[in-house]
Amino acid sequence: MTDRLEALIFDVDGTLADTERDGHRVAFNQAFAEAGLDWHWDVELYGQLLVVTGGKERIRHYMEHHHPALPQASDLDDLVLRLHRRKTLHYAALIDGGSIPLRPGVLRLLEQARAEGVRLAVATTTTPDNVFALLEHALPGLPGWFDEIAAGDVVPHKKPAPDIYRYVLARLGLPPGACIAFEDSDNGLHAARAAGLLTVVAPSGYTQSQDFTGAALMLDHFGEPDRPMRILHGPPGIDGSMLDLALLRRLHSIRAADRISNSI
Ligand code: XBP
Ligand code: MG
């Protein structure tokens, strides 16, 4: 692990904003209703479907498990694509309508990183349009703060596979030891760790009871001056009311020291 922290790599859904229940889920249902389908993903069912990352993959999984009588024809692929395209438009409209804010402390941390020359990147399974919609709505021009926005089908295997993180690292030209990943889900944590990244986890609405063994630090959120974070799990010597670069650099150097002593 290098001794300098050079980049922060963020998951999007659940990490930058809690988008699943009131964003993606609602948009999927809008697309189904518009297509004349009587499918409805309620809050509980959607929580179960989240085990499958990627919206197209999730629709396909739902069809196979809840409507197995549907013909396995190639026009099924076409239906998935059409539904997903409409879902993406509905999602952007929901975001533009202001229904999903960034999570506490996210913008503050991005601003500090930008001011101090720590690079920013995104590694997500979601569609690129969704990331741009979310960031641009949060702050006009915000997508331009990121050196790399890696999203969706740019890699063959979605999380929990490490592909998207490896892709981002290659694009940034950095080793995993120079970066920290931010995630909210077990699938995301597995992906980041398998790519060799130190990972900070802030569980979101749907992921509170997942297993985050292997996270370097677990928080309820990143914290704001008037809304302190709670550290749910972390190494001794890490404390504070907000996640900032000083704390992240401390975490990074503690983990670097751990690695060196473990390899001796
Ligand atoms: C996010 C997802 C995404 C969204 C839907 O996972 O699983 O699939 O639910 O996005 P992560 P699309 O936060 O681990 O990246 O419909 O655009 O695929
Ligand atoms: Mg996520």
Side-chain angles (χ1 to χ4, degrees):
M1 191 172 275
T2 57
D3 52 6
R4 254 175 68 88
L5 175 61
E6 311 248 17
L8 310 183
I9 308 176
F10 293 88
D11 168 51
V12 175
D13 295 303
T15 300
L16 296 184
D18 209 344
T19 50
E20 295 291 6
R21 192 192 66 184
D22 301 330
H24 291 293
R25 184 186 69 88
V26 174
F28 280 113
N29 284 330
Q30 287 174 337
F32 300 153
E34 181 184 65
L37 296 162
D38 64 353
W39 305 350
H40 179 80
W41 291 357
D42 64 27
V43 170
E44 195 192 329
L45 172 61
Y46 192 66
Q48 294 160 17
L49 294 172
L50 278 176
V51 61
V52 180
T53 56
K56 293 188 287 294
E57 293 80 355
R58 193 168 298 141
I59 297 171
R60 161 76 61 187
H61 170 91
Y62 172 76
M63 286 173 164
E64 285 166 7
H65 289 81
H66 295 260
H67 300 278
L70 283 172
Q72 291 300 310
S74 63
D75 51 340
L76 219 57
D77 293 336
D78 188 55
L79 175 61
V80 171
L81 285 178
R82 276 188 294 122
L83 286 171
H84 191 255
R85 216 171 291 131
R86 292 297 303 167
K87 175 260 166 179
T88 300
L89 293 175
H90 288 304
Y91 179 80
L94 284 167
I95 295 295
D96 285 348
S99 61
I100 319 257
L102 295 183
R103 290 186 67 184
V106 166
L107 195 55
R108 176 189 53 70
L109 180 60
L110 296 178
E111 277 166 345
Q112 190 192 14
R114 188 167 188 247
E116 297 192 23
V118 173
R119 297 165 71 191
L120 298 171
V122 154
T124 176
T125 64
T126 205
T127 302
D129 286 357
N130 299 345
V131 185
F132 284 95
L134 183 76
L135 295 176
E136 191 63 37
H137 184 266
L139 183 72
L142 187 55
W145 293 17
F146 290 79
D147 279 8
E148 183 63 33
I149 294 183
D153 301 325
V154 73
V155 289
H157 304 293
K158 293 187 175 172
K159 298 174 188 175
D163 302 28
I164 195 76
Y165 279 105
R166 290 192 178 137
Y167 176 89
V168 167
L169 290 168
R171 300 279 299 183
L172 293 174
L174 290 173
C179 308
I180 295 182
F182 299 84
E183 277 287 352
D184 71 300
S185 71
D186 52 4
N187 277 328
L189 174 63
H190 288 137
R193 290 199 73 222
L197 287 152
L198 195 92
T199 309
V200 173
V201 173
S204 58
Y206 271 118
T207 67
Q208 298 289 326
S209 56
Q210 292 181 352
D211 178 6
F212 294 115
T213 306
L217 180 64
M218 256 182 86
L219 312 165
D220 59 346
H221 54 72
F222 296 171
E224 295 280 15
D226 60 348
R227 193 170 165 193
M229 67 181 185
R230 239 170 4 103
I231 296 181
L232 308 174
H233 163 81
I238 293 292
D239 54 17
S241 60
M242 289 193 289
L243 186 68
D244 59 12
L245 285 181
L247 189 153
L248 288 172
R249 288 192 178 107
R250 262 199 326 275
L251 182 69
H252 185 251
S253 62
I254 290 171
R255 288 307 185 200
D258 282 355
R259 286 218 178 173
I260 291 163
S261 60
N262 288 341
S263 65
I264 291 172

